[in-house]
């Protein structure tokens, strides 16, 4: 059986923050979500019997499941050229992947470039196939795979507004949908940008942290998640 996490343009088929932390708090002017280790806590392996729903309807979970779910982490770096041509740097990790004989992570071939495997843990083999997918074999408990790539995901709406759409994020096996945790950090460095809004909007189960240099959201959910981040040029 092959499971295929899906991403569009980040195609995937996963919040409870650790209490211990160091560094500035979110209200501090020096706070940067990319430097807040609380948002990158350790996530145990989810198995097919953990499916809690057969509906793709999005439901945010306010409590961690008994088994810690697949954690899907994205770090996106925007540059001045990203606002012109749409291409950004991506680092993506999958933690606590279910122990399974084979798993394929599939990307949109039209929006992915220079896909490379950065590291793996507890995986017998990991190969980039056809430039748009990662084929994992012999996935064991406490597995992790991290990749890097260039990805086209920034769209200009005009009037200094830029949009980043992602999803659907979904963890599915046969007819069941599994709890999944997704963390996404977007860094724009010294670019004169600010967050306009997100879809879904910040709410219980969908946490958003922002600074002058970036933002991060983290969510635990079941079903299918699609996200939209809108940034505005501050000038």
């Amino acid at each position: 059986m092959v499971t295929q996490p899906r991403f569009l343009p980040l195609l995937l088929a996963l919040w409870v923050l650790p209490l211990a932390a160091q560094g500035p708090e979110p209200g501090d002017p020096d706070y940067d979500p990319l430097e807040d280790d609380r948002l990158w806590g350790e996530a145990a392996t989810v198995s097919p019997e953990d499916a809690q729903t057969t509906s793709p309807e999005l439901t945010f979970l306010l409590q961690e499941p008994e088994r810690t779910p697949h954690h899907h982490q994205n770090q996106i770096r925007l540059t001045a050229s990203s606002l012109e041509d749409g291409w950004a740097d991506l680092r993506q990790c999958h933690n606590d992947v279910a122990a399974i004989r084979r798993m394929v992570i599939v990307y949109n071939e039209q929006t992915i470039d220079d896909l490379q495997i950065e590291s793996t843990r507890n995986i017998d083999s990991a190969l980039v196939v056809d430039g748009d997918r990662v084929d994992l074999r012999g996935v064991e408990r406490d597995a992790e795979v991290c990749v890097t790539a260039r990805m086209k995901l920034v769209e200009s709406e005009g009037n200094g507004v830029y949009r980043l759409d992602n999803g659907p994020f979904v963890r599915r096996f046969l007819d069941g949908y599994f709890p999944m945790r997704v963390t996404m950090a977007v860094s724009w460095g010294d670019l004169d940008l600010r967050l306009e809004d997100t879809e879904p909007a910040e709410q219980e189960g969908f946490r958003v942290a922002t600074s002058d240099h970036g933002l991060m959201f983290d969510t635990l959910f079941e079903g299918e998640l699609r996200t939209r981040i809108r940034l505005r040029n501050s000038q």
Side-chain angles (χ1 to χ4, degrees):
M1 178 67 64
V2 178
T3 60
Q4 291 193 342
R6 301 175 297 156
F7 306 75
L8 248 184
L10 291 176
L11 297 170
L12 178 93
L14 286 123
W15 112 264
V16 175
L17 303 181
L19 296 178
Q22 296 180 347
E25 292 297 309
D28 191 301
D30 294 325
Y31 175 77
D32 188 334
L34 295 175
E35 300 297 330
D36 191 342
D37 291 337
R38 291 174 300 179
L39 304 185
W40 299 95
E42 294 183 357
T45 301
V46 65
S47 300
E49 61 267 22
D50 294 318
Q52 298 183 22
T53 180
T54 57
S55 170
E57 182 178 355
L58 175 64
T59 301
F60 294 119
L61 304 180
L62 305 184
Q63 294 184 340
E64 192 83 8
E66 184 174 337
R67 296 193 182 187
T68 307
H70 184 154
H71 188 186
H72 175 219
Q73 305 180 59
N74 300 280
Q75 294 173 286
I76 297 169
R77 293 194 177 274
L78 305 182
T79 64
S81 63
S82 302
L83 306 183
E84 297 177 1
D85 60 21
W87 288 88
D89 295 324
L90 169 73
R91 181 178 185 269
Q92 183 180 93
C93 291
H94 297 264
N95 302 95
D96 293 290
V97 179
I100 194 168
R101 182 172 57 85
R102 184 184 181 196
M103 176 179 177
V104 180
I105 303 172
V106 182
Y107 298 83
N108 186 332
E109 63 180 350
Q110 297 180 339
T111 60
I112 191 81
D113 188 40
D114 195 24
L115 177 62
Q116 299 183 38
I117 296 170
E118 180 185 73
S119 64
T120 63
R121 183 182 69 232
N122 294 337
I123 297 173
D124 287 345
S125 70
L127 296 173
V128 174
V129 179
D130 297 331
D132 65 351
R133 63 192 60 205
V134 176
D135 191 328
L136 307 177
R137 306 292 180 101
V139 180
E140 301 176 2
R141 291 182 64 87
D142 193 32
E144 177 187 80
V145 58
C146 295
V147 303
T148 60
R150 292 276 294 165
M151 184 159 286
K152 190 169 186 178
L153 74 161
V154 183
E155 295 286 342
S156 174
E157 294 185 350
N159 298 318
V161 177
Y162 302 91
R163 183 181 72 245
L164 288 73
D165 290 333
N166 287 294
F169 298 101
V170 55
R171 183 67 174 163
R172 185 177 182 182
F173 185 82
L174 300 178
D175 293 329
Y177 289 82
F178 299 89
M180 179 178 175
R181 180 180 177 188
V182 170
T183 306
M184 182 173 294
V186 181
S187 172
W188 52 79
D190 293 329
L191 295 178
D192 195 16
L193 296 172
R194 61 176 175 82
L195 176 63
E196 180 80 352
D197 55 45
T198 65
E199 295 179 21
E202 183 174 14
Q203 58 191 279
E204 279 195 300
F206 189 85
R207 298 279 301 275
V208 181
T210 64
S211 77
D212 291 338
H213 308 292
L215 68 89
M216 176 179 286
F217 73 71
D218 189 293
T219 182
L220 180 65
F221 65 94
E222 292 174 341
E224 297 185 1
L225 171 68
R226 291 171 171 80
T227 68
R228 170 169 291 179
I229 297 171
R230 297 173 71 243
L231 305 175
R232 178 178 293 276
N233 193 307
S234 299
Q235 293 182 342

